Amino acid sequence: MKSNSDDNTESKKPSSAMKELISKQVVQTKQMISKQAVKIVKRAEEHEKLIAKVTHLVGVLGYGSFCFLLGARPQDIPYVYCLFYVFFVPLRWIYYKFKKWHYYLLDFCYYANTIFLVDLLFYPRNEKLFMVCFSFAEGPLAWALIVWRCSLVFSSFDKIVGVLLHLLPGIVIFTIRWWNPATFEAMHPEGSLQRVTWPYVEDKSYLWTWLFLVPLVAYILWQVLYFLIVNVLRRQRLLRDPEVMTSYRELSKKAKKANNIWWRLSGLFGDQNRMLMYIFLQGIFTIATMALAVPIFLSYELHVIFQILKVSASVWNGGSFLLEQKYTAGSIQFCKVK
């Protein structure tokens, strides 16, 4: 007769075998996707000039079409954003996977954009979630355009997507808050002479709770998850391959080369604590920009000025980038001739 322990052992064998099979299939699928991503990027690099021209054409036409739609049908702008995110972010992952930059997709901007996408698709009338997304979009994402000098360059797919990830959420939120016909109905209900707002704000404590405190808690949650994934779970992977890039590696590399204020501040407590100082400085930046989002939320005029400032900064940075690139190429050519 078989004992109960033997029966349990036999019952565990199929489940363990199934787990092994599933894990193998997952690994094979990841390898296949990575190989296909490499093939796509290599083919793209073979036709780099043509792709740059096509990107410039599509970028300029798309920019003009978006401006027209912004004035003609502002209520459709959220759909444009959703299409942009679900189409272009996966393409960016393919490119970044090839370049070993895929850890960038764990940055706060993707976290905030994903929450906003969920809000638009599943909870479009949730006022509290909208206020959290407002704080993200017109706080850290918006000011990153200015502080980190994001450049709107129509011939660069990567730069266009980078700018739009930080710029579009704020524009979409602006149209929902001030220009959407559904918002007007909520702000001017029939039979009421008193003007109300959407989202409805009960008092100052409610305003600061949903525009500052709750978004700050969501940011801290992201920061903890990011630290655990990058600095704990994937630490050995990053140490083995210095070519794998993260936002901290890139920023520290550029700051060290320029020897700017960020590099000096992050080194106040020694090189071994630069990562913690970077997290601390990023937290201060997030707190300050989320606080600035509160007056922007309350004023239509201030919100308009802020949209103009963001677009102007990205266009200015794009022009600066192209001119610097042109002069650098010209000086190299001059040296060759000389």
Side-chain angles (χ1 to χ4, degrees):
M1 293 179 64
K2 290 184 178 179
S3 63
N4 290 334
S5 60
D6 293 336
D7 291 338
N8 290 335
T9 304
E10 288 182 2
S11 63
K12 287 179 181 178
K13 283 182 179 179
S15 61
S16 61
M18 182 62 70
K19 287 180 180 179
E20 289 180 6
L21 180 62
I22 292 172
S23 63
K24 285 181 180 178
Q25 288 179 344
V26 169
V27 171
Q28 289 174 356
T29 303
K30 287 174 67 177
Q31 290 176 347
M32 184 185 68
I33 292 173
S34 297
K35 287 180 180 178
Q36 291 300 320
V38 170
K39 286 182 181 179
I40 291 170
V41 175
K42 283 185 176 179
R43 287 180 182 176
E45 288 185 342
E46 290 173 1
H47 304 87
E48 186 177 354
K49 288 186 177 180
L50 177 61
I51 289 175
K53 291 177 182 178
V54 173
T55 303
H56 182 81
L57 174 66
V58 174
V60 173
L61 293 177
Y63 183 79
S65 301
F66 182 82
C67 290
F68 171 78
L69 195 64
L70 190 63
R73 292 188 61 83
Q75 65 270 25
D76 292 336
I77 293 298
Y79 302 118
V80 175
Y81 167 79
C82 292
L83 286 173
F84 157 77
Y85 192 78
V86 299
F87 182 72
F88 285 103
V89 171
L91 287 178
R92 198 176 218 210
W93 177 86
I94 291 173
Y95 180 67
Y96 276 21
K97 181 69 176 175
F98 173 75
K99 291 286 189 180
K100 296 184 179 182
W101 298 346
H102 48 287
Y103 285 98
Y104 282 133
L105 273 70
L106 297 175
D107 286 354
F108 180 74
C109 58
Y110 295 94
Y111 174 79
N113 272 274
T114 302
I115 292 175
F116 187 41
L117 184 72
V118 171
D119 173 42
L120 291 176
L121 292 178
F122 302 106
Y123 308 101
R125 306 307 299 168
N126 189 310
E127 300 183 24
K128 294 176 180 177
L129 185 56
F130 176 83
M131 292 176 74
V132 172
C133 293
F134 187 102
S135 180
F136 289 161
E138 300 297 44
L141 293 187
W143 287 99
L145 278 167
I146 301 167
V147 174
W148 306 123
R149 297 188 63 192
C150 296
S151 305
L152 185 59
V153 180
F154 288 115
S155 57
S156 172
F157 172 81
D158 188 49
K159 289 191 176 298
I160 289 176
V161 175
V163 167
L164 293 181
L165 280 171
H166 294 84
L167 182 64
L168 268 185
I171 293 177
V172 174
I173 276 172
F174 174 84
T175 60
I176 292 174
R177 175 139 174 79
W178 304 108
W179 289 357
N180 195 320
T183 306
F184 281 129
E185 291 179 9
M187 292 170 71
H188 301 84
E190 291 185 10
S192 175
L193 298 176
Q194 185 177 2
R195 183 180 183 275
V196 296
T197 62
W198 193 96
Y200 176 71
V201 178
E202 295 175 359
D203 50 36
K204 287 185 177 180
S205 63
Y206 182 92
L207 180 76
W208 281 94
T209 297
W210 292 101
L211 271 182
F212 184 75
L213 292 179
V214 175
L216 188 58
V217 170
Y219 166 79
I220 294 171
L221 175 62
W222 165 81
Q223 185 65 82
V224 171
L225 291 172
Y226 183 89
F227 184 84
L228 289 175
I229 294 170
V230 176
N231 297 96
V232 179
L233 297 177
R234 307 300 293 171
R235 177 178 173 79
Q236 294 303 319
R237 168 76 175 92
L238 292 169
L239 289 174
R240 285 196 306 269
D241 192 351
E243 291 184 0
V244 176
M245 197 58 62
T246 64
S247 56
Y248 169 72
R249 277 188 172 181
E250 183 190 13
L251 289 172
S252 60
K253 185 178 178 180
K254 289 181 178 178
K256 183 178 181 180
K257 185 177 180 181
N259 194 28
N260 58 23
I261 188 172
W262 301 109
W263 180 253
R264 292 193 290 273
L265 285 174
S266 65
L268 285 176
F269 298 99
D271 288 339
Q272 69 276 12
N273 295 314
R274 283 191 185 275
M275 169 62 78
L276 295 177
M277 279 298 296
Y278 171 74
I279 293 173
F280 175 73
L281 291 171
Q282 190 179 28
I284 296 235
F285 168 80
T286 302
I287 291 170
T289 54
M290 283 182 176
L292 288 172
V294 176
I296 293 172
F297 177 85
L298 295 173
S299 171
Y300 172 75
E301 292 77 11
L302 195 58
H303 208 175
V304 170
I305 293 170
F306 194 51
Q307 301 310 306
I308 296 171
L309 174 64
K310 290 188 296 182
V311 174
S312 300
S314 58
V315 173
W316 178 273
N317 292 335
S320 300
F321 172 82
L322 290 173
L323 287 172
E324 289 171 6
Q325 195 177 45
K326 179 181 177 181
Y327 287 133
T328 302
S331 62
I332 291 172
Q333 187 66 28
F334 175 78
C335 291
K336 285 181 179 179
V337 172
K338 189 175 179 180

